[in-house]
Amino acid sequence: MIGGTWQTSAPARSWSFPVARIAAAMVVLPVFLQAPWVRLDPFSATLFTGVLVAAGLVMHQSRSQTTSDLGSLLVGFSGSWLAGCIFWGWLRAHPVLHLPVEAFAVPVALGGLQGRWRLAATFYLSSLVGTACTDLAMAATGVMQFWPAVVTASLDQAPLLLHQAGTHLLQPLPLVTLVVSAVVVLLAGRRLSRNSSDFTGDAGSMAAAVLITTLWVDGLFLLSALLQPGLSGLIE
């Protein structure tokens, strides 16, 4: 579906550039670029997906393995970018739709795991797992109830509501749930990293980096909600 025919199998190998570091950077990028862009103009941010896909396809055809791998990673990132633009641009007041929207490309990604788009598929699926962990933790701690009110509130009310959501997480039961969730994600990330040789080359290391970086981003978001809510990407 993306730039060619899926291959039925592909030998495990190590990619020729620091996949984990670049993948981690791509997890952080939406916080600083996509979030403010979607707030200002969700339509143009969504159209930018085409630029990402086009650049990824062109780079993937390069004879340089490094450039080709980076192009594949960009294609995987474009799936997460598109889903984020659609949800945060038009559906952000409906948290129940968050994960379904983010998971729109799962069938394609699952097919790509065994082909030449393995890197793209692994990044997209790892990002989706990180998103699912975040949403499940929000639901388990009860903070999900604050979501619709925060994203639809006026500029003067939104920071207060977000701060209330952050302080809710400091109560004993939500805090314990949050800590347990974080430990589970960290352990899963370490296991993936250690077993990377058995998980199609460096894919395990990249998946681990994406999961752990998602955890760090969530932690920074909580700190901003407590200390400076106006810096949050949730607030318009």
Side-chain angles (χ1 to χ4, degrees):
M1 178 177 177
I2 304 177
T5 304
W6 300 120
Q7 294 180 1
T8 56
S9 63
R13 65 178 177 83
S14 294
W15 287 291
S16 55
F17 68 99
V19 173
R21 293 181 182 180
I22 295 177
M26 286 185 171
V27 173
V28 177
L29 185 62
V31 178
F32 299 100
L33 176 60
Q34 186 180 33
W37 190 351
V38 170
R39 289 201 306 270
L40 291 173
D41 189 353
F43 186 70
S44 64
T46 302
L47 289 180
F48 185 68
T49 305
V51 176
L52 293 173
V53 173
L57 292 176
V58 171
M59 294 172 68
H60 187 64
Q61 301 303 318
S62 174
R63 293 183 179 180
S64 166
Q65 192 63 61
T66 298
T67 304
S68 179
D69 287 345
L70 181 55
S72 183
L73 189 55
L74 273 178
V75 171
F77 175 69
S78 70
S80 300
W81 178 278
L82 176 59
C85 288
I86 292 173
F87 178 80
W88 293 107
W90 294 280
L91 303 171
R92 61 185 178 277
H94 308 284
V96 69
L97 298 178
H98 187 214
L99 201 55
V101 171
E102 293 282 353
F104 81 100
V106 165
V108 177
L110 290 176
L113 284 174
Q114 299 302 318
R116 64 193 183 99
W117 294 101
R118 184 173 68 253
L119 179 54
T122 302
F123 177 85
Y124 172 80
L125 292 172
S126 300
S127 297
L128 180 61
V129 171
T131 298
C133 291
T134 298
D135 283 8
L136 288 174
M138 291 178 65
T141 57
V143 77
M144 188 73 80
Q145 63 183 311
F146 295 93
W147 184 329
V150 170
V151 299
T152 58
S154 60
L155 283 175
D156 58 332
Q157 290 295 321
L160 176 61
L161 292 172
L162 186 58
H163 181 74
Q164 290 175 352
T167 55
H168 172 80
L169 289 173
L170 299 181
Q171 297 179 19
L173 184 56
L175 185 59
V176 170
T177 303
L178 195 65
V179 171
V180 170
S181 300
V183 169
V184 169
V185 172
L186 282 173
L187 291 177
R190 291 184 64 183
R191 183 176 181 84
L192 280 172
S193 183
R194 288 176 178 175
N195 297 337
S196 60
S197 60
D198 300 324
F199 189 66
T200 60
D202 285 341
S205 296
M206 188 190 72
V210 170
L211 286 176
I212 293 174
T213 304
T214 300
L215 187 62
W216 280 109
V217 170
D218 290 344
L220 290 174
F221 181 83
L222 175 58
L223 284 178
S224 71
L226 293 170
L227 303 177
Q228 191 57 259
L231 295 178
S232 168
L234 283 176
I235 298 175
E236 295 187 7

